[in-house]
Amino acid sequence: MEPDIALMSRLAQGDEGALEELYRRYSPSLYALLLRMLQSREEAEEILQDSFVQLYREAARYQPERGAVVAFLFT
């Protein structure tokens, strides 16, 4: 299994396969958190999608020394 940091590096270069892998790893837990917070499936799904779109756009800003990929995603 490829480390998250390597996936973020690939993602920063526009590799959509890296985004797919990060989505596979983290979407279930992020969706569960959003669902608990929002109490709405539609809103949770929308924010989940928006979160990964933003991750794709902002991947180059990720700095591993500041925290884990999952923390970057969840914020």
Side-chain angles (χ1 to χ4, degrees), residues 30 56 64:
L30 182 54
Y56 183 77

Side-chain angles (χ1 to χ4, degrees), residues 58-70:
E58 309 245 345
R61 293 184 54 219
Y62 173 67
Q63 299 173 349
E65 63 276 2
R66 296 191 69 197
V69 171
V70 69

Side-chain angles (χ1 to χ4, degrees), residues 2-14:
E2 188 171 8
D4 290 349
I5 294 172
L7 289 170
M8 286 300 289
S9 178
R10 287 178 39 207
L11 187 57
Q13 297 171 10

Side-chain angles (χ1 to χ4, degrees), residues 48-63:
L48 178 69
Q49 181 179 354
D50 289 348
S51 297
F52 279 93
V53 168
Q54 185 172 354
L55 181 69
Y56 183 77
R57 290 182 184 152
E58 309 245 345
R61 293 184 54 219
Y62 173 67
Q63 299 173 349

Side-chain angles (χ1 to χ4, degrees), residues 5-67:
I5 294 172
L7 289 170
M8 286 300 289
S9 178
R10 287 178 39 207
L11 187 57
Q13 297 171 10
D15 184 340
E16 291 182 11
L19 180 63
E20 291 171 8
E21 178 61 22
L22 289 165
Y23 185 86
R24 187 190 64 73
R25 288 182 191 181
Y26 295 111
S27 65
S29 56
L30 182 54
Y31 178 72
L33 175 64
L34 290 167
L35 191 55
R36 274 181 288 192
M37 291 171 57
L38 302 170
Q39 300 293 307
S40 166
R41 289 183 188 266
E42 289 109 17
E43 288 181 33
E45 289 170 0
E46 184 177 331
I47 292 175
L48 178 69
Q49 181 179 354
D50 289 348
S51 297
F52 279 93
V53 168
Q54 185 172 354
L55 181 69
Y56 183 77
R57 290 182 184 152
E58 309 245 345
R61 293 184 54 219
Y62 173 67
Q63 299 173 349
E65 63 276 2
R66 296 191 69 197

